[in-house]
Amino acid sequence: QVQLVETGGGLVQPGGSLTLSCAASGRTLSRFTVAWFRRAPGKEREFVAAIRATNSNPYYQDSVKGRFTISRDNAKNGVYLEMKSLKPDDTAVYYCAADERLILSSLRTARDYDYWGQGTQVTVSS
């Protein structure tokens, strides 16, 4: 079992930055593909970014490319999402998800992830 806890959310003005953290306990996160998803009010949950266990290659939703960076720190057993140039459309609850056996074609599919955190709210507003 893996327990995931997200932190770092908050209120930020448009154009601002935030870094979300996903801390894991119970297992070594380096063995897992880890992703960030988000759910905006009235919308479906959507894929934001992922980083694979095998090669740490990052993958991004088109709308966040060039603004968001996903990374992992194996020594701290954590994964991070650095968000820059934030827009009001980025407002959502952000969730960390992990899976040990995820194949590449499932990377953006929420239902294929076994472990989830409780989410952290990000609000982009002036």
Side-chain angles (χ1 to χ4, degrees), residues 3-19:
Q3 292 77 44
L4 303 173
V5 177
E6 304 96 331
T7 57
L11 173 63
V12 62
Q13 292 187 343
S17 301
L18 280 176
T19 297

Side-chain angles (χ1 to χ4, degrees), residues 43-85:
K43 295 186 178 181
E44 296 290 319
R45 182 171 47 185
E46 65 174 0
F47 171 81
V48 176
I51 188 165
R52 298 193 72 193
T54 51
N55 54 18
S56 288
N57 276 357
Y59 299 82
Y60 299 99
Q61 184 202 104
D62 286 346
S63 69
V64 307
K65 283 181 181 177
R67 300 189 298 122
F68 290 11
T69 302
I70 188 170
S71 62
R72 64 165 81 228
D73 185 335
N74 293 334
K76 296 183 178 180
N77 212 30
V79 170
Y80 308 93
L81 186 68
E82 182 182 13
M83 306 185 294
K84 298 181 178 179
S85 302

Side-chain angles (χ1 to χ4, degrees), residues 103-125:
I103 59 176
L104 184 58
S105 61
S106 295
L107 204 67
R108 300 168 189 265
T109 306
R111 65 176 180 271
D112 289 337
Y113 285 81
D114 283 343
Y115 302 103
W116 290 82
Q118 82 290 347
T120 185
Q121 175 70 47
V122 172
T123 302
V124 185
S125 175

